[in-house]
């Protein structure tokens, strides 16, 4: 699981140097507030008003979770490569690796490997995250690199197909006090590699928890990656999650993101289509109740010609829950022959639920096909009447319509056990 033969210290770069540079970026960065357009609907002040212990995980996390406590969160006990993180720390004792043709290392150790330094091109990786403009918009990125050292690095070599899904279980755990943590998930998929990634976020414990999480995914030429992401936190758990995906020629990357619970969750995802004949697919579903808030910000940045991006995000909001969608498509001057599509569709199931949506297009090329749009409304009264006229009760009719609405996203999940689990959960929720 952790091949020490690949570890080789670099005399030029150390983790301490890296954090020192990142710390310099954090100086004089103003805290984001709701006066800033990028954070207009996100309650940033709640993070800073709560005292989180960011050191507790280094003292107790390795001895906290046991397998019986997490078993009911697992998609399958068998037939998957299980990787467990607790408050950002890699729990090798709870992890099970079935396929031997990929590398998994704790992040701090991975930083010193030849694989990470040479193939991930650390300078490019650093620039992806710590650009001045980017951290001014999202200072959580700089804070993560300045103060956090936990997480994992996954690498799949050239021409390799990982037969079993790689399922990453990221647990936010609390015991006697509120816990905060920083976490990095770095994934490198080399040329012509194929893999399914399940990224699961759950919380355990009665106290509040907050995760500052970064995901960096490099998709090389002709690689095909299916990425499923589930966020199901309890009502005192929150996340700020920033992801960047960089795609090379002829690659395909598909993400299906499902958010079901949590106090407040911010997802920021940048996909850089930096190659020709690239396909990027972004699908999202927020199905919220109570006072949960999920804020999704996406960017599809077309840098080269002849690429395609498809984006469909849907939201179902009950009670006092809130949704935000801010989606941007950039088509750069060299990105001729680009096809880019973006849609956001929402259903409000109560008078107190709300959603704020802002689809955007910025195009600098002239030979392109691009479209975007957004809709928000209630369940179709005609469809409800049609079902009731055939003897179906009103509650079941509503549940069927909601399930059909969500089904357009769930059918994109290319892993039957996870898809079946989510379909059953949504059926129970709306009946």
């Amino acid at each position: 699981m952790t091949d020490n033969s690949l570890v080789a210290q670099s005399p030029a770069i150390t983790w301490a140097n890296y954090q020192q540079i990142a710390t310099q970026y954090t100086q004089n960065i103003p805290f984001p507030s709701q006066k800033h357009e990028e954070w207009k609907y996100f309650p940033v002040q709640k993070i800073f008003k709560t005292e989180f212990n960011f050191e507790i995980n280094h003292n107790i996390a390795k001895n906290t979770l046991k397998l019986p406590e997490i078993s009911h969160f697992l998609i399958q006990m068998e037939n998957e490569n299980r990787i467990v993180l607790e408050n950002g720390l890699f729990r090798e004792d709870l992890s099970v690796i079935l396929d031997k043709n990929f590398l998994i290392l704790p992040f701090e150790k991975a930083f010193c490997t030849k694989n990470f330094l040479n193939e991930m091109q650390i300078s490019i990786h650093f620039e992806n995250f710590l650009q001045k403009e980017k951290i001014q918009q999202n200072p959580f990125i700089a804070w993560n690199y300045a103060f956090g050292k936990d997480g994992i690095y996954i690498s799949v070599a050239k021409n390799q197909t990982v037969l079993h899904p790689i399922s990453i279980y990221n647990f936010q755990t609390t015991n006697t006090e509120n816990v905060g943590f920083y976490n990095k998930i770095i994934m490198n998929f080399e040329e012509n590699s194929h893999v399914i990634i399940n990224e699961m976020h759950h919380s355990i414990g009665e106290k509040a928890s907050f995760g500052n999480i970064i995901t960096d995914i490099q998709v090389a030429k002709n690689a095909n990656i299916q990425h499923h992401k589930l966020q199901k936190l309890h009502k005192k758990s929150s996340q700020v999650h920033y992801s960047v995906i960089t795609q090379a020629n002829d690659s395909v990357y598909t993400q299906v993101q499902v958010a079901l619970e949590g106090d407040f969750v911010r997802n920021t995802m940048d996909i850089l289509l930096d190659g020709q004949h690239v396909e990027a697919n972004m699908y999202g579903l927020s199905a919220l109740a109570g006072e949960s808030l999920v804020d999704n910000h996406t960017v599809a940045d077309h840098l080269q010609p002849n690429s395609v991006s498809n984006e469909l995000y849907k939201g179902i909001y009950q009670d006092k829950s809130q949704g935000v969608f801010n989606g941007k498509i950039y088509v750069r001057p060299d990105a001729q022959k680009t096809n880019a599509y973006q849609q956001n569709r929402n259903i409000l199931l109560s008078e107190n639920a709300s959603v704020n949506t802002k689809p955007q297009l910025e195009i600098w090329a002239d030979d392109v096909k691009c479209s975007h749009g957004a809709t928000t409304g209630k369940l179709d009264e005609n469809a409800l009447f049609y079902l009731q006229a055939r003897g179906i009760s009103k509650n079941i009719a509503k549940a069927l319509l909601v399930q059909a609405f969500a089904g357009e996203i769930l059918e994109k999940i290319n892993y039957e056990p996870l898809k079946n689990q989510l379909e059953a959960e949504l059926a129970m929720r709306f009946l």
Side-chain angles (χ1 to χ4, degrees), residues 315 317 345-350 355 374-380 405:
Y317 303 101
R345 301 173 190 158
N346 305 286
I347 290 178
L348 303 180
L349 298 179
S350 78
V355 62
T375 59
T376 300
K378 298 181 179 180
L379 287 176
D380 188 327
F405 181 80

Side-chain angles (χ1 to χ4, degrees), residues 388-413:
Q388 288 177 268
R390 279 148 182 79
I392 299 173
S393 70
K394 186 174 183 179
N395 286 340
I396 293 178
K398 283 184 175 180
L400 291 173
L401 291 178
V402 170
Q403 283 180 270
F405 181 80
E408 189 176 3
I409 301 299
L410 298 184
E411 70 181 11
K412 305 295 185 182
I413 296 175

Side-chain angles (χ1 to χ4, degrees), residues 92-156:
E92 188 168 354
D93 57 317
L94 295 177
S95 302
V96 177
I97 305 302
L98 302 179
D99 296 289
K100 306 303 180 183
N101 59 343
F102 73 96
L103 175 70
I104 166 74
L105 289 172
F107 179 77
E108 189 175 10
K109 188 174 183 180
F111 185 88
C112 301
T113 67
K114 293 179 181 177
N115 218 34
F116 189 84
L117 290 173
N118 297 336
E119 296 170 17
M120 287 290 288
Q121 299 179 353
I122 195 168
S123 61
I124 296 175
H125 169 77
F126 188 82
E127 290 169 5
N128 276 346
F129 286 94
L130 295 179
Q131 297 171 20
K132 183 177 180 181
E133 180 182 358
K134 187 172 290 185
I135 64 169
Q136 285 178 339
Q137 291 182 350
N138 189 348
F140 290 96
I141 298 170
W143 296 331
N144 185 298
Y145 273 91
F147 308 121
K149 59 182 180 180
D150 297 322
I152 53 170
Y153 168 64
I154 293 171
S155 181
V156 180

Side-chain angles (χ1 to χ4, degrees), residues 259-418:
L260 297 182
E261 294 179 44
D263 185 3
F264 50 90
V265 174
R266 165 67 176 246
N267 294 309
T268 305
M269 179 173 65
D270 294 350
I271 293 189
L272 309 177
L273 293 86
D274 196 9
Q276 295 200 44
H277 308 290
V278 168
E279 179 182 334
N281 301 300
M282 296 164 278
Y283 305 109
L285 174 67
S286 296
L288 306 179
E291 297 185 7
S292 294
L293 180 149
V294 173
D295 184 345
N296 289 312
H297 283 234
T298 67
V299 171
D301 197 348
H302 292 258
L303 302 170
Q304 303 291 337
N306 301 304
S307 62
V308 176
S309 65
N310 298 294
E311 182 172 12
L312 175 60
Y313 270 65
K314 288 188 168 188
I316 305 166
Y317 303 101
Q318 301 182 86
D319 305 323
K320 295 182 180 180
S321 61
Q322 301 175 64
V324 180
F325 175 79
N326 187 319
K328 301 181 182 73
I329 296 174
Y330 296 135
V331 182
R332 305 297 177 175
D334 292 334
Q336 303 293 342
K337 304 293 184 182
T338 286
N339 291 342
Y341 308 99
Q342 181 191 87
Q343 282 288 322
N344 177 231
R345 301 173 190 158
N346 305 286
I347 290 178
L348 303 180
L349 298 179
S350 78
E351 296 296 330
N352 295 318
S354 64
V355 62
N356 293 279
T357 180
K358 187 179 180 182
Q360 301 170 74
L361 277 173
E362 293 190 34
I363 301 172
W364 293 275
D366 51 18
D367 187 6
V368 301
K369 294 180 181 179
C370 299
S371 66
H372 71 297
T375 59
T376 300
K378 298 181 179 180
L379 287 176
D380 188 327
E381 293 294 335
N382 290 329
L384 274 176
F385 176 79
Y386 177 87
L387 291 172
Q388 288 177 268
R390 279 148 182 79
I392 299 173
S393 70
K394 186 174 183 179
N395 286 340
I396 293 178
K398 283 184 175 180
L400 291 173
L401 291 178
V402 170
Q403 283 180 270
F405 181 80
E408 189 176 3
I409 301 299
L410 298 184
E411 70 181 11
K412 305 295 185 182
I413 296 175
N414 190 25
Y415 184 48
E416 287 297 322
L418 177 59

Side-chain angles (χ1 to χ4, degrees), residues 50-52 56 60 64-65 69 72-73 86-87 171-180 202-210 233-238 261 263:
T50 305
E51 281 193 28
F52 293 103
I56 192 170
I60 68 167
T64 299
L65 281 183
E69 296 176 83
H72 68 283
F73 291 104
E86 183 177 3
N87 295 334
F171 291 100
Q172 299 186 194
T173 65
T174 62
N175 191 358
T176 59
E177 57 185 312
N178 302 330
V179 173
H202 298 286
S203 50
I204 298 174
E206 297 301 320
K207 295 293 185 176
S209 65
F210 171 71
L233 308 171
H234 63 51
K235 62 182 179 180
K236 292 184 180 180
S237 294
S238 302
E261 294 179 44
D263 185 3

